[in-house]
Amino acid sequence: DVKVTQSSRYLVKRTGEKVFLECVQDMDHENMFWYRQDPGLGLRLIYFSYDVKMKEKGDIPEGYSVSREKKERFSLILESASTNQTSMYLCASSLSQGAIGADTQYFGPGTRLTVL
Amino acid sequence: AQKVTQAQTEISVVEKEDVTLDCVYETRDTTYYLFWYKQPPSGELVFLIRRNSFDEQNEISGRYSWNFQKSTSSFNFTITASQVVDSAVYFCALASGNTPLVFGKGTRLSVIA
């Protein structure tokens, strides 16, 4: 079974803090993704990575950055957290079989981040 | 641009009823992939099915079935004899080529005992 883990289930931070959300997958997947989920808006893609040190912006990258130094780990960074970044953050990974859209994504349990 | 519409925001049914969750998609690509995910109260998205655009056969897996119709750009999901454990938010999603998943806004299903 694919296993995607996220460092925290719940996180509370203060405005202006630098926040790191960590995601690890154990299935040697090439692709990794970060989404945020908000009520009424569904899941929106923040960033994704198709290889180590490679990254692509998703639909809502503003206010976020990412890091992928190792294949199994994909970090989401909030450089200066703001209250409008309070959300559920979901990480996913997929095996690369050519086109990134063709691959099934497997999700972690999510991190519910509250910024006060 | 790709788009997925799940018009039903919330559905409530009584246990053992059948229920269909609607999904309508938009894409200009000829090769694309459709997915359904389940998100139970625990929060983790669970993969249910993947279907490519060249395979219009309907699929059945236990109490779950999926009806893919390219003519109406729909990929509907039916749960037969619903159970309380089916209560969750269900997401339909679309991807193609090098474009990652685009999700619908989800349908919250409540199954009442």
Side-chain angles (χ1 to χ4, degrees):
Chain A
D1 277 353
V2 177
K3 190 70 174 176
V4 181
T5 57
Q6 295 183 228
S7 50
S8 307
R9 289 303 302 270
Y10 299 93
L11 207 54
V12 180
K13 296 291 181 181
R14 298 232 173 250
T15 301
E17 280 193 73
K18 190 169 186 175
V19 181
F20 292 86
L21 303 182
E22 305 285 342
C23 176
V24 177
Q25 51 92 4
D26 67 357
M27 286 302 293
D28 203 33
H29 282 178
E30 304 289 340
N31 308 315
M32 297 188 75
F33 308 81
W34 275 106
Y35 297 86
R36 65 176 280 176
Q37 182 180 10
D38 301 288
L41 297 178
L43 277 78
R44 294 178 291 167
L45 181 64
I46 304 171
Y47 268 98
F48 66 98
S49 168
Y50 53 89
D51 201 353
V52 175
K53 297 191 186 296
M54 305 303 290
K55 61 185 179 183
E56 293 282 346
K57 292 180 180 179
D59 299 318
I60 52 164
E62 297 79 18
Y64 303 94
S65 62
V66 290
S67 172
R68 192 160 181 209
E69 297 295 320
K70 293 184 178 181
K71 190 175 185 180
E72 68 270 18
R73 187 179 297 270
F74 192 35
S75 302
L76 180 69
I77 303 158
L78 288 66
E79 294 289 342
S80 178
S82 63
T83 55
N84 63 12
Q85 293 178 308
T86 292
S87 187
M88 169 72 98
Y89 290 87
L90 291 158
C91 175
S93 72
S94 68
L95 180 67
S96 179
Q97 294 179 328
I100 198 168
D103 306 323
T104 297
Q105 292 184 26
Y106 296 92
F107 285 79
T111 296
R112 190 168 293 282
L113 172 67
T114 302
V115 182
L116 302 175
Chain B
Q2 304 199 111
K3 185 178 178 182
V4 175
T5 301
Q6 294 180 256
Q8 303 149 309
T9 306
E10 294 192 32
I11 300 175
S12 186
V13 299
V14 176
E15 206 171 19
K16 297 184 183 176
E17 284 186 0
D18 298 347
V19 59
T20 295
L21 309 182
D22 298 332
C23 174
V24 174
Y25 62 91
E26 294 176 29
T27 180
R28 293 182 179 177
D29 296 315
T30 54
T31 301
Y32 52 90
Y33 306 87
L34 294 162
F35 301 79
W36 275 95
Y37 285 86
K38 174 182 180 180
Q39 187 177 39
S42 60
E44 183 172 343
L45 263 76
V46 177
F47 165 71
L48 295 178
I49 190 171
R50 170 187 177 275
R51 178 67 60 179
N52 74 54
S53 53
F54 298 109
D55 183 1
E56 283 193 76
Q57 278 194 331
N58 291 331
E59 175 122 357
I60 298 174
S61 176
R63 296 183 298 107
Y64 294 173
S65 63
W66 290 269
N67 183 359
F68 177 27
Q69 292 199 342
K70 288 176 78 170
S71 60
T72 56
S73 298
S74 65
F75 186 43
N76 296 337
F77 173 31
T78 297
I79 302 174
T80 303
S82 60
Q83 299 176 2
V84 172
V85 294
D86 296 326
S87 296
V89 181
Y90 291 87
F91 290 95
C92 181
L94 165 71
S96 60
N98 287 317
T99 305
L101 285 175
V102 172
F103 285 85
K105 290 185 167 53
T107 297
R108 181 178 298 279
L109 174 65
S110 297
V111 182
I112 303 164

